[in-house]
């Protein structure tokens, strides 16, 4: 089976497992993830962290974003501009959110566009080496590549539930590996060195 077909099968299986988590359990797991994240992610005041506003059965990362913001981080979220591009707009307290594509909402064009220092990356599946399967659109891959071309080197932390882990994700030489995985059971540091303080 080709890598693309394997990825599609793994994506479908892990998303089905994620969908099977009931709403109350999803809240509990998301709060546990937030607690582990605050204990594991080192950051300084004004560090720019990109999170995301959950859709479907994704981890609700808003509790973690709130805690990071309370401690001085600047929070931004992805906004889809077109079929190829996402940008990261600052999520300010009380800012109006506008509807986007794929059932998403996010800050409008008046919000500042930021380049994240740390990216909390949604995913469909992951393995212990830090390889991820996204939703198939390639938005994050392209966004990370654009940031790297600008000289930015964001820390990439995959956000998932434990049930989304697979034995192995088919990877190619150009694939970008995550620096860590954060789930309801804890943080796994997959970088060559621990996440260090930024800023």
């Amino acid at each position: 089976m080709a890598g693309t077909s394997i990825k599609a099968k793994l994506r479908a299986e892990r998303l089905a497992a994620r969908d099977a988590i009931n709403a109350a359990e999803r809240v509990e797991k998301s709060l546990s993830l937030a607690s582990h994240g605050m204990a594991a992610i080192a950051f300084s005041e004004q560090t720019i962290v990109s999170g995301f506003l959950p859709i479907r059965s994704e981890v609700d990362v808003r509790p973690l974003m709130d805690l990071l913001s309370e401690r001085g981080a600047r929070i931004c979220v992805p906004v889809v501009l077109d079929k190829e591009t996402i940008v990261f707009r600052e999520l300010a307290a009380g800012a109006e959110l506008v509807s986007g594509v794929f059932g998403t909402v996010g800050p409008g064009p008046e919000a500042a566009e930021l380049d994240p220092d740390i990216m909390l990356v949604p995913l469909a599946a992951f393995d212990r080496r830090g390889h991820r399967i996204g939703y198939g659109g390639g938005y994050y891959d392209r966004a990370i590549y654009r940031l790297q071309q600008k000289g930015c080197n964001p820390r990439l932390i995959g956000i998932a539930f434990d049930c989304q882990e697979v034995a192995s994700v088919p990877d190619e030489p150009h694939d970008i590996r995550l620096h860590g995985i954060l789930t309801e059971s804890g943080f796994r540091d997959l970088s060559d060195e621990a996440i260090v303080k930024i800023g």
Side-chain angles (χ1 to χ4, degrees):
M1 191 183 291
T4 302
S5 299
I6 294 171
K7 282 186 176 181
K9 180 174 182 289
L10 292 173
R11 179 185 295 115
E13 288 174 352
R14 292 305 91 207
L15 289 179
R18 191 181 77 183
D19 289 344
I21 301 172
N22 69 51
E25 190 178 0
R26 188 173 298 119
V27 170
E28 289 179 13
K29 290 177 182 292
S30 295
L31 291 173
S32 292
L33 180 144
S35 178
H36 290 303
M38 288 306 293
I41 301 170
F43 65 98
S44 302
E45 203 168 316
Q46 296 300 303
T47 293
I48 299 171
V49 180
S50 69
F52 53 91
L53 300 172
I55 57 172
R56 299 187 294 270
S57 59
E58 285 180 335
V59 171
D60 188 348
V61 78
R62 289 173 295 184
L64 176 56
M65 293 193 299
D66 287 344
L67 290 169
L68 291 166
S69 178
E70 286 171 11
R71 304 247 184 115
R74 292 181 72 185
I75 304 298
C76 56
V77 294
V79 175
V80 180
L81 294 185
D82 54 44
K83 291 181 180 180
E84 294 286 319
T85 311
I86 57 174
V87 294
F88 297 91
R89 289 180 180 160
E90 186 161 22
L91 185 63
E96 184 180 353
L97 301 179
V98 298
S99 297
V101 298
F102 310 125
T104 61
V105 294
E110 71 285 349
E113 289 187 15
L114 304 176
D115 293 334
D117 301 307
I118 298 173
M119 295 176 71
L120 307 178
V121 183
L123 50 85
F126 68 93
D127 67 19
R128 60 174 25 184
R129 300 171 302 151
H131 290 287
R132 67 181 276 274
I133 298 174
Y135 298 137
Y139 286 100
Y140 270 85
D141 293 329
R142 289 189 294 273
I144 292 164
Y145 177 76
R146 281 195 304 275
L147 286 166
Q148 291 175 338
Q149 293 303 298
K150 292 169 68 174
C152 302
N153 188 29
R155 285 289 188 181
L156 309 175
I157 300 175
I159 301 294
F161 294 116
D162 288 333
C163 68
Q164 293 174 252
E165 184 171 4
V166 297
S168 180
V169 169
D171 61 277
E172 300 175 59
H174 65 268
D175 284 346
I176 301 168
R177 197 168 66 91
L178 298 166
H179 298 107
I181 298 284
L182 181 60
T183 71
E184 73 271 22
S185 63
F187 177 73
R188 302 183 212 180
D189 182 4
L190 303 173
S191 59
D192 295 330
E193 57 189 65
I195 289 186
V196 295
K197 203 165 200 177
I198 297 174

